[in-house]
Amino acid sequence: MTTSPAPFPPVTDAETWRRELDQLRAREKAATRELDAIAAQRRRLPMVELPEYTLMSKDGPVRLVDVFAGRSQLITYHHMWSPGSEWQCGGCTYFTSQFTRLDFLDRYDARFVVVTQGPIDEALAYREKVGNEMEWYSTADSSFGADVDAPPGGGFAVNVLLRDGDRVFRTWHTTGRGTEQLSHTFALVDLLPWGRQEPWQDSPAGWPRSETYDRWLDSPDVAALYGRTPS
């Protein structure tokens, strides 16, 4: 990680600051309206029906339709898994660690869970090790993950599903930076004057920079902060 003397934006008078803030606010509002339009288009996407799948839960085999737990809508985060590794994907571990209060989704007839290619016993042990608060399911013995763009050895992904009785439909999918809209961590950091401090970002000369991911919490960091020691 590189370090440098702390830089600061130029100092100006309150009137100039307000004028430039108002100019930025116009762009921010335009971006908000564009995100609203994107969400409207997302709600109008067609969907594709999925076959039946059986996943593994903490209580044993469970049909995909029952992962909804009676709700109509389901978001699945597909956590990367490396067989035999002590620590699983740092980005997935860090990303999912932020979701500790998901009961509000009940009012939207929805649920948000983790699905991984790891065997359920190993997945649940890892969940405890890093102190994750989400519900985890395994697709190790099912083609579900592979069929929704999260195959064994593949990357992370997010899928959104809709239930009509016992029929399940896939409505939306994203991966890569598409998952950032689900995160409050990047939203908060992007408000800061120095931002993410990553080399790809457009920042003024002299702003602190470090390698991409250097400031992210890695899996051992998450475990140290939130992990539960087996009793």
Side-chain angles (χ1 to χ4, degrees):
M1 181 181 299
T2 59
T3 59
S4 61
F8 294 93
V11 178
T12 189
D13 60 273
E15 182 179 352
T16 301
W17 177 82
R18 177 65 64 180
R19 183 172 61 252
E20 297 205 12
L21 177 63
D22 289 344
Q23 292 173 356
L24 176 61
R25 179 80 76 250
R27 295 188 64 186
E28 291 173 339
K29 293 298 184 183
T32 298
R33 289 190 291 272
E34 176 63 13
L35 288 173
D36 288 342
I38 290 171
Q41 182 177 352
R42 185 183 299 119
R43 289 191 292 272
R44 288 166 172 80
L45 281 175
M47 59 187 184
V48 60
E49 187 167 4
L50 297 177
E52 288 192 7
Y53 296 100
T54 298
L55 307 184
M56 290 297 294
S57 73
K58 62 184 179 183
D59 300 315
V62 59
R63 297 184 305 161
L64 175 61
V65 69
D66 294 326
V67 176
F68 285 73
R71 298 164 183 83
S72 298
Q73 303 168 105
L74 177 69
I75 304 169
T76 57
Y77 181 87
H78 298 262
H79 196 296
M80 294 172 63
W81 192 266
S82 299
S85 295
E86 177 184 5
W87 298 106
Q88 298 301 328
C89 169
C92 291
T93 304
Y94 173 36
F95 180 83
T96 57
S97 71
Q98 67 191 291
F99 301 108
T100 59
R101 299 289 186 272
L102 291 169
D103 293 340
F104 71 92
L105 287 173
D106 291 345
R107 297 197 174 199
Y108 294 88
D109 195 13
R111 197 175 187 220
F112 183 21
V113 303
V114 170
V115 177
T116 183
Q117 293 286 347
I120 189 62
D121 291 345
E122 294 179 21
L124 293 177
Y126 186 72
R127 175 182 180 269
E128 289 293 308
K129 183 175 181 177
V130 298
N132 191 282
E133 297 290 336
M134 297 178 68
E135 289 293 324
W136 284 50
Y137 296 85
S138 170
T139 186
D141 299 317
S142 164
S143 64
F144 171 63
D147 291 347
V148 294
D149 299 295
F156 63 94
V158 172
N159 281 281
V160 179
L161 310 177
L162 182 65
R163 181 178 69 88
D164 180 12
D166 280 351
R167 300 172 70 191
V168 175
F169 302 86
R170 188 185 187 197
T171 67
W172 187 74
H173 164 264
T174 195
T175 188
R177 294 194 64 196
T179 60
E180 286 186 18
Q181 64 181 293
L182 310 179
S183 167
H184 67 256
T185 56
F186 294 119
L188 290 174
V189 173
D190 284 344
L191 291 177
L192 301 174
W194 296 342
R196 303 187 199 185
Q197 305 175 39
E198 297 183 6
W200 60 270
Q201 290 198 298
D202 182 1
S203 296
W207 250 227
R209 293 182 184 272
S210 55
E211 292 301 314
T212 302
Y213 310 123
D214 272 3
R215 296 180 186 272
W216 294 28
L217 295 178
D218 200 359
S219 300
D221 303 315
V222 174
L225 289 170
Y226 311 120
R228 294 181 282 270
T229 303
S231 56

